[in-house]
Amino acid sequence: MKFFIDTANLDQIKEAQDLGILDGVTTNPSLMAKEGITGTNNILKHYVDICNIVDGDVSAEVISTDFDGMVREGEALADLHDQIVIKLPMIKDGVKACKYFSSKGIKTNVTLVFSPGQALLAAKAGATYVSPFIGRLDDVSTDGLNLIGEIRHIYDNYAFETQILAASIRHTMHIIDCAKLGADVMTGPLSSILGLLKHPLTDIGLEKFLADYNKGN
Ligand code: G3P
């Protein structure tokens, strides 16, 4: 399972990278705004800064909603750095743009996916990644994890190569459950990743090992 961090915060990206378990980064316009990164030039520079910290794929989202605009923007984003993945919304022109980029060998991430049908279309269009938003489904009393299972089933039926990127992860248990269901990638906040470390028996056990070692010193 690949681990992506879902943030535009450079300190958090560095912390996850330093841990040695980071495979990539996802961002979106809201995450950029949260870090105070606004204006096209600043946003483009920020993508390059992120690429210079991590080794893996970095999703950069287009804001156009028409095919020509998405292609124009996506090509400019792809030119920024070879780690950039073009993030496209799951709308009709987004599917067309996904097909356009995948035919050219440019990586894509189809985002804002909330149903198995949308995920099927993304795979048909050759998406590298599909991003089902599990937390936002949970927010509206719909089981987000169930969607991960449905997409896994459909993709396995036809050996689609599109990777399921479980997004809108909110906490550590989401990561565990997505791993059980066979999501290829998860993207979540640093807190959800660091939560995987924690177990009180680890802390108690380590404390005792150190205390016992120190008895002889
Ligand atoms: O990866 C998608 C993510 O940024 C959305 O997360 O918590 O705003 O639903 P959230």
Side-chain angles (χ1 to χ4, degrees):
M1 187 189 210
K2 289 187 203 167
F3 272 30
F4 289 179
I5 189 169
D6 194 31
T7 185
N9 182 292
L10 298 183
D11 289 336
Q12 292 185 13
I13 293 169
K14 277 186 201 127
E15 188 175 338
Q17 174 69 20
D18 287 349
L19 197 54
I21 48 79
L22 194 64
D23 300 298
V25 177
T26 51
T27 62
N28 61 41
S30 305
L31 292 171
M32 284 285 184
K34 193 173 161 198
E35 299 306 321
I37 313 294
T38 54
T40 307
N41 289 342
N42 292 333
I43 290 173
L44 296 183
K45 180 185 172 304
H46 206 70
Y47 286 136
V48 175
D49 290 344
I50 293 172
C51 290
N52 288 335
I53 296 172
V54 300
D55 297 324
D57 287 347
V58 174
S59 289
E61 188 158 343
V62 302
I63 46 132
S64 300
T65 53
D66 64 294
F67 175 77
D68 290 338
M70 287 184 198
V71 166
R72 204 168 40 246
E73 252 190 87
E75 283 178 340
L77 288 169
D79 281 346
L80 281 178
H81 201 284
D82 59 10
Q83 285 167 240
I84 293 285
V85 173
I86 311 305
K87 202 169 180 189
L88 301 156
M90 172 37 77
I91 56 177
K92 197 191 268 185
D93 283 34
V95 172
K96 283 169 65 179
C98 179
K99 181 70 186 176
Y100 172 87
F101 285 118
S102 58
S103 308
K104 287 177 162 279
I106 295 173
K107 287 185 178 177
T108 52
N109 175 359
V110 176
T111 190
L112 290 167
V113 166
F114 294 94
S115 76
Q118 291 179 322
L120 183 54
L121 276 178
K124 289 287 294 172
T128 313
Y129 299 105
V130 65
S131 289
F133 275 34
I134 63 176
R136 290 193 192 181
L137 281 170
D138 290 352
D139 288 344
V140 293
S141 312
T142 304
D143 186 356
L145 289 169
N146 185 51
L147 176 60
I148 301 294
E150 288 182 304
I151 300 172
R152 180 76 282 153
H153 186 89
I154 291 169
Y155 282 11
D156 287 350
N157 277 350
Y158 298 98
F160 281 123
E161 288 179 6
T162 299
Q163 295 176 55
I164 302 172
L165 196 174
S168 186
I169 292 256
R170 300 279 174 74
H171 50 73
T172 302
M173 273 314 292
H174 270 157
I175 302 177
I176 303 292
D177 287 329
C178 285
K180 286 184 189 168
L181 290 164
D184 301 286
V185 192
M186 80 84 204
T187 191
L190 182 62
S191 58
S192 67
I193 297 172
L194 295 182
L196 295 168
L197 278 169
K198 294 179 193 160
H199 200 289
L201 290 178
T202 304
D203 299 336
I204 292 166
L206 180 60
E207 201 177 324
K208 176 145 177 48
F209 284 156
L210 296 180
D212 287 343
Y213 174 83
N214 284 324
K215 279 180 193 164
N217 294 301

